[in-house]
Amino acid sequence: MFNRGIQQFNLKVVSINEVDDSHSSTVYQCNLVNGENVFLKIPHTKLKYVRELEAYKLLKDRVSIPNMLDYWPGDDQYPGAFLLSELKGQPLTNFASLTVAYQIGVLHATMHQIQPPTTIQLTGIQDEFPNWSNFVERQFYSFAEDVKEVLDGSIYSQAIKKFESMKRQLPPSDGPSFIHMDFRPANIIVNEDKVSGVIDFESVRFGSTEIDFTKLYRDFLRFDCRLYQAYKEGYNSLRPLIDLEVVLPFYQFTDAFNSIGWCKRRGIEKNALFLKRNLSILESVLL
């Protein structure tokens, strides 16, 4: 597929590097003979291709994202591919400044301000908001069969009961909003003291914002209360931030549970560290 993509976009490549930490697509950074860096992105499924394509059209000139230089809709053998410009910088780290944290809040709120369009018909990005509780439940139980093969039986039963109990205590949903579903440091590009933008839209939906803070909190916000406060100030500068202390425990729990199922599907040995991390999160909630 890589060679097909190179031919399809007629790229004159000097060097190629596969991008790490990309789970729903295969991504290559290509250095071209003219000195330009571009990214060749190959989604794993047709649905992910369509979601990404629709997201780029929805977000263009509204949210800071790479430029889509070209795209190929694929054929009977391949789901398709994208040719994307480079966002200058590196993925977000825990050493970010308060200015960067504030900008991330603004970026996140900017996405959440986008509502389902009324003038175009989307086929890849689903609007889950009208049945949000059912969506969350469907996601949870779709991973449950995989999780059942990993957890001890008593812990598994305890997790199911915990999910049902916590779900009943959730506040009214906040939306409908464009939600990234994988808003984490690896997908947020920072250039020195400026946020360049956000990448990777294979999992996007319209739904409740409450689910979209979990990974950012897990991997970034929880380590420094000053960064957390700066992020909240940035977010609130555009739209009111929901009470995260109310919803985060539930979504941290479900994210850990679903991630255990994801590890089982993708290979326990290959994802051993991620599995261990999420088992620890799950156990901390259940204890």
Side-chain angles (χ1 to χ4, degrees):
M1 177 59 194
F2 168 75
N3 290 331
R4 182 67 182 274
I6 294 292
Q7 295 170 0
Q8 188 68 37
F9 298 129
N10 194 29
L11 299 180
K12 309 300 182 185
V13 177
V14 174
S15 62
I16 303 160
N17 292 295
E18 187 169 352
V19 176
D20 295 330
D21 208 7
S22 180
H23 303 298
S24 297
S25 300
T26 303
V27 183
Y28 299 94
Q29 182 181 28
C30 304
N31 178 243
L32 306 182
V33 293
N34 63 2
E36 183 182 5
N37 282 326
V38 296
F39 288 85
L40 174 62
K41 181 169 188 175
I42 305 165
H44 292 168
T45 68
K46 192 68 176 180
L47 175 58
K48 293 181 183 297
Y49 167 85
V50 174
R51 275 198 199 126
E52 185 101 4
L53 181 62
E54 291 179 345
Y56 268 89
K57 292 178 178 179
L58 280 172
L59 300 180
K60 182 177 173 58
D61 299 326
R62 303 170 79 178
V63 176
S64 182
I65 58 175
N67 292 322
M68 183 176 288
L69 305 173
D70 203 352
Y71 61 93
W72 175 54
D75 53 26
D76 292 340
Q77 188 175 2
Y78 301 112
F82 300 105
L83 185 65
L84 305 171
S85 70
E86 179 184 32
L87 285 179
K88 297 298 182 182
Q90 301 295 326
L92 173 69
T93 71
N94 291 336
F95 301 104
S97 67
L98 298 181
T99 300
V100 164
Y102 182 94
Q103 292 175 24
I104 292 169
V106 172
L107 174 67
H108 210 182
T110 302
M111 280 198 298
H112 288 169
Q113 283 186 314
I114 298 173
Q115 297 185 334
T118 57
T119 56
I120 60 174
Q121 181 70 38
L122 300 176
T123 60
I125 302 178
Q126 301 93 337
D127 183 3
E128 305 287 359
F129 186 76
N131 299 294
W132 183 250
S133 180
N134 290 340
F135 168 72
V136 173
E137 184 172 317
R138 193 166 66 246
Q139 272 206 320
F140 182 85
Y141 283 107
S142 72
F143 284 108
E145 290 304 312
D146 301 283
V147 175
K148 194 173 186 178
E149 298 182 31
V150 179
L151 296 182
D152 174 81
S154 62
I155 296 177
Y156 174 80
S157 298
Q158 191 178 350
I160 297 297
K161 292 177 182 177
K162 187 72 172 178
F163 171 77
E164 293 296 341
S165 172
M166 295 180 78
K167 186 181 67 169
R168 288 192 293 268
Q169 300 172 40
L170 288 175
S173 301
D174 174 48
S177 293
F178 182 93
I179 50 176
H180 189 280
M181 297 289 290
D182 198 21
F183 197 72
R184 58 191 175 96
N187 290 330
I188 301 167
I189 307 302
V190 177
N191 188 24
E192 296 182 350
D193 220 27
K194 180 177 174 56
V195 175
S196 299
V198 60
I199 60 175
D200 288 352
F201 305 102
E202 303 99 333
S203 302
V204 299
R205 306 285 202 285
F206 284 101
S208 176
T209 64
E210 61 197 54
I211 200 172
D212 221 24
F213 304 98
T214 311
K215 294 180 181 180
L216 184 67
Y217 182 83
R218 181 192 70 191
D219 297 341
F220 177 67
L221 295 175
R222 69 185 176 95
F223 298 110
D224 189 327
C225 62
R226 297 170 306 158
L227 293 177
Y228 192 11
Q229 182 60 34
Y231 165 85
K232 289 194 278 189
E233 290 173 3
Y235 192 99
N236 278 318
S237 70
L238 287 187
R239 72 188 304 270
L241 181 64
I242 61 174
D243 188 345
L244 295 183
E245 280 67 30
V246 173
V247 299
L248 272 173
F250 173 77
Y251 284 101
Q252 286 174 306
F253 164 70
T254 56
D255 178 66
F257 184 93
N258 295 349
S259 294
I260 292 168
W262 182 91
C263 290
K264 177 65 173 63
R265 291 180 184 181
R266 296 294 184 97
I268 286 179
E269 290 185 10
K270 186 169 62 174
N271 298 285
L273 289 177
F274 189 53
L275 175 63
K276 182 179 179 180
R277 180 181 177 186
N278 284 287
L279 284 170
S280 177
I281 295 172
L282 188 74
E283 290 171 2
S284 70
V285 175
L286 295 178
L287 290 178

